[in-house]
Amino acid sequence: MKVLLATQKPFAAKAVEGICAILTEAGHEVAKLEKYEAQEDLLKAVPDAEALIIRSDKVTREVIAAAPKLKIVVRAGAGYDNVDLEAATEKGIVVMNTPGQNSNAVAELALGMMVYMARNQFTPATGSELMGKKLGVQAYGNVGRLVGQKAKALGMSVCALDPFLSDEQIVAGGAEPVHSIEELYASSDYLSIHIPALPATIKSIGYALVSKMPKGATLVNTARKEVIDEEGLMKALEERPDLKYITDVAPDNYALMQEKFGLRVFATPKKMGAQTAEANVNAGLAAARQIVDFFASGCTRFQVNK
Ligand code: 3PG
């Protein structure tokens, strides 16, 4: 089978080597489209692809229409909001992710971001410490749990909200359960967001929630920029000069936010949560193995468009 590795933001060389080795040993042919610049490049590369490995690359209805031989898309990572699931399902294409494989990298970045903001973006101004502060985790899944556990090691207390977990499961994961989103925001000195971008969550975090946060609080977003209602966030930051926002990927209105709020806001220039060699290897190799298993035995574990 012909497998296309299409990564606008390329994997580390070690991950690419591993992906190619797994696929070729199983008898598949690998084509690479890395660091491509335009969606047009992806469209041109897919016509003979039978399998696709991607990261945040956009697999739109148009891409699916241009890939008549495509049978499987594996998003090497967690969030699959970049794949048009409806269009894939209509064509009988299986879409998978590789849950958990890059979680540690994202969790470490979330903690690093908290330190960065606590120390005023490494300017000489007097900062603060994380120890003794309360961290709220919004969604206690693979990433959220790791953030919570690492925060505890730094001496933070951790609470979490997750509608899919029981109180017992949250406690077993090391956090104190909270039962409403308002309570979570109202009690968190640091609030780390780990919800997916879905119709129900897009723009769900805005003025009402952010303005509930305690004095001096920081909102940390290593999830998706789409879950933030940017106007509402700006209104809260305007009214409350004590609040801060740090995010992995710039908000649409970042230039304006920087102008208005200076060091109280920071966005990474490119999404870098999962951008470690280890995460690349974990997620990339898992994706390759899932493709091998799919063609060898029809295994659809991790399918997200069932
Ligand atoms: C994910 O959903 O797994 C992360 O956002 C990582 O995305 P990336 O592979 O584009 O870095």
Side-chain angles (χ1 to χ4, degrees):
M1 298 289 169
K2 184 150 183 191
V3 184
L4 176 66
L5 173 65
T7 50
Q8 202 158 33
K9 187 171 61 181
F11 280 132
K14 198 174 160 200
V16 177
E17 270 167 38
I19 291 168
C20 292
I22 289 170
L23 292 168
T24 49
E25 270 162 36
H28 301 295
E29 191 189 327
V30 187
K32 287 185 270 179
L33 176 71
E34 295 175 293
K35 288 193 199 171
Y36 62 94
E37 279 170 17
Q39 188 69 2
E40 199 51 35
D41 301 330
L42 180 59
L43 285 169
K44 278 192 205 140
V46 295
D48 59 348
E50 290 163 294
L52 252 185
I53 297 179
I54 52 158
R55 296 184 66 180
S56 290
D57 306 80
K58 293 190 174 30
V59 178
T60 57
R61 184 171 284 277
E62 213 186 350
V63 171
I64 285 166
K69 297 183 172 175
L70 195 59
K71 292 174 186 61
I72 176 168
V73 176
V74 183
R75 193 282 189 238
Y80 44 86
D81 46 311
N82 49 321
V83 181
D84 188 328
L85 293 188
E86 206 180 278
T89 308
E90 279 169 22
K91 299 277 183 199
I93 298 167
V94 169
V95 181
M96 296 183 187
N97 65 351
T98 64
Q101 300 291 349
N102 58 18
S103 304
N104 189 67
V106 181
E108 285 190 12
L109 183 75
L111 266 302
M113 285 176 143
M114 290 178 215
V115 173
Y116 188 57
M117 286 314 251
R119 298 303 180 99
N120 300 308
Q121 299 192 26
F122 298 162
T123 56
T126 302
S128 59
E129 299 177 21
L130 300 187
M131 189 166 74
K133 306 295 189 305
K134 186 151 190 172
L135 169 70
V137 185
Q138 187 178 358
Y140 214 53
N142 289 320
V143 181
R145 256 196 319 275
L146 285 168
V147 173
Q149 287 159 6
K150 290 174 198 301
K152 282 180 81 172
L154 294 176
M156 300 181 86
S157 59
V158 180
C159 62
L161 175 77
D162 193 315
F164 300 103
L165 297 178
S166 65
D167 284 4
E168 290 71 26
Q169 286 170 313
I170 291 178
V171 170
E176 170 207 341
V178 295
H179 301 105
S180 78
I181 186 101
E182 290 78 16
E183 187 191 347
L184 183 76
Y185 275 73
S187 55
S188 302
D189 299 309
Y190 288 84
L191 192 301
S192 196
I193 304 167
H194 300 289
I195 52 174
L198 299 169
T201 62
I202 287 172
K203 289 189 191 288
S204 63
I205 300 162
Y207 179 77
L209 289 177
V210 179
S211 56
K212 281 196 167 48
M213 295 182 81
K215 192 166 169 33
T218 299
L219 182 64
V220 183
N221 184 6
T222 53
R224 293 288 183 268
K225 69 173 180 177
E226 288 82 1
V227 300
I228 302 289
D229 162 16
E230 291 182 12
E231 275 178 32
L233 171 65
M234 280 188 63
K235 188 171 172 223
L237 290 170
E238 249 156 24
E239 279 183 16
R240 293 270 310 274
D242 58 301
L243 296 179
K244 296 178 182 174
Y245 178 57
I246 184 160
T247 177
D248 187 18
V249 168
D252 293 334
N253 60 5
Y254 188 41
L256 183 61
M257 284 180 82
Q258 277 183 304
E259 194 186 303
K260 281 180 178 265
F261 310 120
L263 291 178
R264 293 168 54 209
V265 296
F266 178 82
T268 54
K270 210 167 209 179
K271 186 152 62 117
M272 55 181 291
Q275 196 59 347
T276 65
E278 293 89 338
N280 285 180
V281 168
N282 292 342
L285 271 54
R289 288 191 191 106
Q290 286 171 218
I291 287 177
V292 170
D293 291 349
F294 173 76
F295 285 122
S297 64
C299 177
T300 53
R301 195 172 170 215
F302 303 124
Q303 182 174 356
V304 294
N305 63 335
K306 276 184 187 162

